[in-house]
Amino acid sequence: MTILADRPVDPTSEAETARPGNATAKHRNVSLLSVATTTADRVTTSADIEERLRGALRRLRLPSGLLERVAGVKERRNWGEGQTFHEAAIDAGRRAMAEAGVQPHDIGLLINTSVTRPHLEPSVAVRLHHGLGLPSSAINFDIANACLGFVNAMSVAAGMIDSGQIEYALIVDGEDADQVQLNTIARLNQGGRNRKDFMSEFASLTLGSGAAAAVLGRTDAHPTGHRLIGGVTRAATQWYDLCVGSPDGMFTDAKMLLKGGMELVVEAWNEAKAHFDWSDMDRYVLHQVSDVHTNAFVNAIGVPRSKVPTTYERYGNVGPASIPITLADEVAKGSIRTGDRVFLGGVGSGINTAMLELHW
């Protein structure tokens, strides 16, 4: 992996020290070998959720159809009877390894990127490591960075492959939106809530459950793989408190989060031009939030909307799993073909942005 400095930094310069943190890298010998998903069985429509919120909507004089009209989310998935997010992540991991043609004993690194976690410690990764039957030599840990975890993990794993530390990396993510939505609906149905309170929790109602996994390996050992070219990350952590979530609920200043996120996207996109040409990619696979966020991202970077596939209409916002789910969906439809250039990108609470280029 080659780390690229944007320009020399004078530590005494106030302008430089005030800039968001940055990292720009190009990868030499890393490919995406597979991406697999596990879909939750139960479909929950936005109409279902609004029916459960009928009293609150009437009391606050909010119209029906709000979730679909404002966010574009028609339905999302929730785990069915006997399904759990970690078992789904293990299932996705197994299928990703099978698709890549690698065995559990080949894996040198497991990174779990789930936002969902039933406890603070140990990591979710240890349960997945055991469930997947990985060897004791396989490094395993969590990367928690809101909705950017999966893309961040791809970059970290790529760096370790480039360095020769590992041969193969398995990245997994499983999300469970059930509890946060149940808590949110119960709270909004209580008295004493106003429209501002409702809208601060609106994003919780767009969340969905699902799981995804990907295997990365050396390009020279897998010439038919999909090369990781490189990418950038940027941070605007002065906005650390605009979207704060827990199992109890997710509370968001949507207007400021969108504004701060798009400012950071434009900065990162412009700074990346010195190292990457992303103006004419074949597909732009973005983190799936809503109509509003997708249109804002497209307008911010100035790319054709027709090249931006979306899955939030069917799956909602599945956190870090959203990008691999959408990528896998495009592959399954045959919308991504050999030779295509694919951009992965998004904005996560914090605020952070990450962008990564793949050659299919």
Side-chain angles (χ1 to χ4, degrees), residues 19-286:
R19 290 179 66 237
N22 66 85
T24 303
K26 289 192 175 181
H27 300 293
R28 299 188 304 268
N29 189 32
V30 185
S31 287
L32 173 69
L33 307 184
S34 64
V35 59
T37 64
T38 298
T39 302
D41 286 348
R42 184 161 50 94
V43 176
T44 303
T45 67
S46 290
D48 292 335
I49 288 180
E50 290 189 1
E51 174 61 26
R52 292 155 68 186
L53 286 168
R54 189 198 309 179
L57 293 172
R58 183 186 299 117
R59 184 176 67 254
L60 299 175
R61 298 183 181 179
L62 290 169
S64 61
L66 199 62
L67 281 163
E68 186 172 338
R69 189 174 67 255
V70 174
V73 177
K74 298 178 181 179
E75 59 189 37
R76 78 281 295 133
R77 297 297 185 107
N78 295 96
W79 299 116
E81 188 71 26
Q83 286 185 307
T84 64
F85 82 94
H86 51 80
E87 289 170 346
I90 290 169
D91 178 67
R94 286 173 179 157
R95 290 189 295 105
M97 287 190 289
E99 183 182 325
V102 303
Q103 300 299 316
H105 62 75
D106 295 320
I107 301 297
L109 171 68
L110 169 72
I111 303 179
N112 166 67
T113 68
S114 308
V115 170
T116 301
R117 57 188 59 246
H119 39 65
L120 293 177
E121 61 175 320
S123 68
V124 176
V126 297
R127 186 166 189 168
L128 306 185
H129 182 282
H130 175 71
L132 289 161
L134 302 186
S136 64
S137 57
I139 306 164
N140 60 95
F141 53 81
D142 294 350
I143 284 183
N145 194 22
C147 295
L148 294 181
F150 207 95
V151 176
N152 291 153
M154 290 177 70
S155 297
V156 170
M160 294 177 69
I161 292 170
D162 264 338
S163 73
Q165 186 175 356
I166 59 169
E167 295 285 322
Y168 296 99
L170 175 61
I171 301 165
V172 293
D173 188 280
E175 301 299 340
D176 187 346
D178 284 28
Q179 195 58 54
V180 67
Q181 285 181 345
L182 289 172
N183 291 340
T184 299
I185 290 169
R187 186 164 43 250
L188 292 176
N189 275 328
Q190 295 172 359
R193 297 295 191 275
N194 57 34
R195 285 193 176 197
K196 183 178 179 181
D197 296 328
F198 186 96
M199 295 313 296
S200 75
E201 299 201 57
F202 184 83
S204 300
L205 305 175
T206 69
L207 298 177
S209 302
V215 173
L216 275 60
R218 290 188 0 244
T219 301
D220 57 10
H222 298 273
T224 60
H226 318 298
R227 282 197 60 214
L228 270 72
I229 303 304
V232 302
T233 66
R234 294 292 186 272
T237 53
Q238 66 270 29
W239 304 122
Y240 66 91
D241 59 351
L242 292 182
C243 181
V244 179
S246 72
D248 186 54
M250 186 166 70
F251 303 88
T252 305
D253 183 336
K255 182 177 180 180
M256 285 303 299
L257 185 65
L258 183 63
K259 179 178 183 295
M262 290 309 104
E263 287 175 353
L264 185 61
V265 162
V266 170
E267 178 184 343
W269 179 267
N270 288 336
E271 291 180 1
K273 289 178 181 178
H275 309 292
F276 305 96
D277 180 9
W278 292 333
S279 61
D280 190 27
M281 306 292 281
D282 295 287
R283 277 290 182 274
Y284 296 86
V285 179
L286 307 180

